[in-house]
Amino acid sequence: MNINATLIGQMVAFFIFIFLTRSYVWPPIIAAMAERTKRIADGLHAADRAEKDLELAQQKAVEQLTSAKKEAAVIIDQANKRAIEIVEEAKEKARIEGDRLKASAQAEIEQATSRAKEELRSKVVVLALVGAEKILGSSIDKNAHNELVNKLAAEL
Amino acid sequence: MSAAEHSESLTSSQYINHHLTNLTYGQFADGHWGFAASGAEAKQMGFWAINVDTMGWSIFLAALFFFIFRSVAKKITSDAPTGLQNLVEAVVEFIDDNVKGMFPYKNSMIAPLALTIMVWVFFMNAMDLLAVDLLPQIAKYIGVSLGANPHEVFFKVVPSTDPNITLGTAAAVFILIVVFSLREKGIVGFAKELCLHPFSSKNIFIQALAIVPNFILEFVNLIAKPVSLGLRLFGNLYAGEVIFILIAIMCGVNLFLGIFGISLHVLWALFHILIIALQAFIFTVLTIVYMSMAHQTDEEH
């Protein structure tokens, strides 16, 4: 319990340890803590930025989606129109072709009819002559009555 | 319980005295150097003697503090901290917050100073929680094996129950107060602070008359800082130590008092944890405040 040189010893030790703490302990710890604070702050900022970026990206995506939908609608419209056009064209072509076929068939029928008529006519002439010969009992001069028979045949 | 052992060979007052005497190394009256065999001999050695036990523990604990904090500081990372780094960072941040709050000036010395004081004083106080006879008993066996008389091996393990240690720390703080006052205010500014307050007047004659009482008041005020700082810590820890010693004596009387004493010991130790941390904190905060006052160049009070 006496005051003695321990007092001075403690003072000296105290100054030495303050110096040691100041030189070797305090600066690295405080620096590391400040760095961590900064990193956390940076991280939070980055997170904020990322959130904004995400929002922007989402907006952009929505915009692009909308425009793509519009474009698609336009394309579908055009395609529909074109399809209708093609159908119409095909119908027109089919109609024309049908008409053509009908016309040619009719021509053929007409041809056949006239051909048959001719045939009939010639056969009628022959039959008429044969009939007339039989009725008259004599032959008819083919040349003398040719004009008359032809006139008859033309009337048929 | 070693207290029981003691009370057989020692009276209670001898036991208490033994526990409150430092192991002092110094020069005897006849000129040779050695360890004092009693408190009276230690007194005769005068100023140039050293309390080997408290001084040794004090330096050992400061070295322990430095070793722990330095080992963390060496491999500190700014990534997620683990283990000991968490604890050290919590302490450092606590000190940093307190210094930033109370010390608005620029001085890279104050925070390390506060950290050193806080942890060191805490460690010194915490020695009080070891059983009062544990380390002294070990020291006694070692001392006896080295040829010393068992009643002459004194060993105080709590450095802050030695006024030399607490007043030494306070005196170091006082030196820093004076140094920083002189550095921040200059000799004239510091002298003015001591002489022109608290009584001041615009009339120069009255002011000249007030110098002497001002100086007496301010000087007492200045000296009171380290004295109160050191004695407060000493008083609290010394009282705590004495109570631990008294409880230890009670444990040695008989079984009933022993059980009562042990429960008292637990209670007092729990309460003492608060005192240990509180006194370390008070010492630190007052040091920061005194440093702040030393840096205050504002003349108004």
Side-chain angles (χ1 to χ4, degrees), chain A residues 78-136:
Chain A
Q78 281 178 345
N80 277 342
K81 267 183 204 161
R82 180 87 192 106
I84 291 167
E85 267 172 25
I86 288 169
V87 169
E88 287 299 316
E89 258 171 48
K91 271 185 188 165
E92 188 65 17
K93 265 187 195 165
R95 208 170 46 77
I96 289 165
E97 183 67 15
D99 282 357
R100 204 177 55 77
L101 284 176
K102 213 168 89 185
S104 75
Q106 227 152 19
E108 226 166 275
I109 290 166
E110 263 165 36
Q111 253 176 6
T113 313
S114 60
R115 216 170 26 240
K117 271 183 184 170
E118 282 302 317
E119 221 168 284
L120 270 176
R121 213 173 273 150
S122 59
K123 276 185 182 163
V124 164
V125 169
V126 174
L127 276 175
L129 281 179
V130 171
E133 263 175 352
K134 286 217 172 131
I135 296 165
L136 291 175

